[in-house]
Amino acid sequence: MKEIVESEILLIKPGVLMRQGVIRSFAFPRHMHDGYSIGLVEQGINHFECAGSRFAARVDQLCITNPEQIHTGEADDDGLRYLNLFIEPQAMNLALGKNPNAEMLWFKEAVSTDQLAAQRFRSLMAACMDVRAASAEAGAVDSEFLLLLQRLEQIATGLPQKKCSGDNALARVRECLHSIFDRPITLEELAQIAQMNTSHLVRSFTNAFGISPYAYHLNRRLLRAQRMIESGVSVVDAALLTGFTDQSHFTRHFRRIMGITPGRLAKGWLPA
């Protein structure tokens, strides 16, 4: 069956993105986000991997990944319709009335059956749609958004796990991948930084972080491009500033990781 990936932006504000998506016969590769990815399954089943385990989230269940947790996502031929909230830890803390740099919430469960949280999710979506239809004020969105975050805070179950940073060599490699986003980085460059051969580097990095150095760096560059587009930078400039000289190449990677094209993201703004 033909692959389908469709997304509609419902809400964008600083550090926050919510969208409604439909995918069928599609699989997100291993990737991560700077903030939380919290999804509500509206129809179908979300098959995904997170923290080394496989899950299947069904209708009215939440799929939750913490910042920088490697995860996947997959829909079979029957398709999947979902809501997805992406929120940075600082934005979460700020909305909850905390110091933005306070210790972030941590979710131990990748799938939640909390029905109140699911209800809050649907109420937020309805408020966003009402604003779009000019039948409600933006204050309704802010209210529903806060109610959802307060419920999520109640179901968060623990403190952040210590990041697996590997040894000093891998930590240096990871730091390099975070600091350079305007061009691709070769394995030879990274091997020199780590002072190990490329084969050992790829194996060690993947074992430590759950994703290859290439995929990790590609993900970081796409996240940077996403932030640029959300801040008003054109799609063309965002691609060039993150080292993509081929627009079709950029769009293909962006869609594969983010589940939406960069052009659709740029057009999806709602008044906050």
Side-chain angles (χ1 to χ4, degrees):
M1 190 171 289
K2 183 180 178 181
E3 177 184 276
I4 290 180
V5 187
E6 299 174 351
S7 288
E8 180 178 9
I9 303 299
L10 300 180
L11 174 66
I12 292 181
K13 56 174 63 184
V16 180
L17 168 67
M18 191 172 90
R19 70 173 187 241
Q20 184 175 46
V22 177
I23 60 176
R24 187 177 69 199
S25 304
F26 181 85
F28 290 98
R30 287 189 170 203
H31 66 287
M32 63 185 173
H33 304 282
D34 286 332
Y36 305 93
S37 172
I38 304 171
L40 174 68
V41 177
E42 294 188 289
Q43 180 180 320
I45 303 174
N46 180 21
H47 302 276
F48 69 103
E49 177 185 333
C50 181
S53 297
R54 293 283 300 176
F55 301 93
R58 292 170 167 78
V59 174
D60 282 347
Q61 294 183 345
L62 273 64
C63 319
I64 304 174
T65 61
N66 294 292
E68 297 192 5
Q69 272 191 324
I70 303 299
H71 62 283
T72 62
E74 182 177 352
D76 55 26
D77 289 348
D78 292 329
L80 167 70
R81 189 176 75 239
Y82 63 95
L83 291 171
N84 214 144
L85 175 68
F86 302 95
I87 179 166
E88 298 173 10
Q90 294 85 354
M92 176 85 84
N93 284 337
L94 189 62
L96 291 171
K98 301 178 181 179
N99 184 316
N101 297 316
E103 193 168 58
M104 66 182 183
L105 300 178
W106 190 262
F107 298 88
K108 288 184 178 179
E109 302 297 330
V111 175
S112 172
T113 59
D114 188 274
Q115 289 304 294
L116 181 54
Q119 178 185 327
R120 296 299 190 203
F121 234 125
R122 289 191 295 270
S123 295
L124 175 57
M125 178 190 72
C128 289
M129 298 304 291
D130 285 346
V131 169
R132 177 165 290 180
S135 59
E137 296 181 354
V141 172
D142 293 336
S143 177
E144 295 297 342
F145 177 66
L146 181 55
L147 287 171
L148 172 59
L149 294 193
Q150 288 172 342
R151 185 57 185 171
L152 291 172
E153 182 182 28
Q154 292 171 347
I155 66 175
T157 53
L159 298 175
Q161 299 172 345
K162 292 182 178 179
K163 294 179 181 178
C164 176
S165 58
D167 59 22
N168 290 335
L170 294 183
R172 292 196 303 272
V173 169
R174 186 170 180 267
E175 182 179 352
C176 176
L177 296 178
H178 275 259
S179 64
I180 299 176
F181 60 86
D182 58 348
R183 64 175 178 84
I185 300 176
T186 68
L187 283 177
E188 288 71 23
E189 288 180 84
L190 297 177
Q192 186 174 8
I193 291 171
Q195 296 185 334
M196 59 179 71
N197 64 51
T198 55
S199 178
H200 186 201
L201 168 63
V202 171
R203 182 173 63 252
S204 299
F205 190 96
T206 304
N207 287 339
F209 299 107
I211 192 170
S212 72
Y214 167 77
Y216 190 100
H217 191 230
L218 176 64
N219 200 153
R220 299 304 310 179
R221 290 162 61 205
L222 291 170
L223 286 171
R224 179 60 68 96
Q226 177 187 344
R227 288 173 180 266
M228 290 179 177
I229 294 169
E230 290 173 358
S231 68
V233 176
S234 72
V235 171
V236 171
D237 286 345
L240 292 174
L241 290 169
T242 50
F244 295 93
T245 56
D246 185 321
Q247 286 293 311
S248 63
H249 183 66
F250 171 65
T251 298
R252 184 171 64 253
H253 279 304
F254 196 98
R255 174 180 177 271
R256 197 71 182 169
I257 297 293
M258 305 302 181
I260 188 172
T261 65
R264 184 67 189 85
L265 178 65
K267 294 176 182 178
W269 290 75
L270 255 182

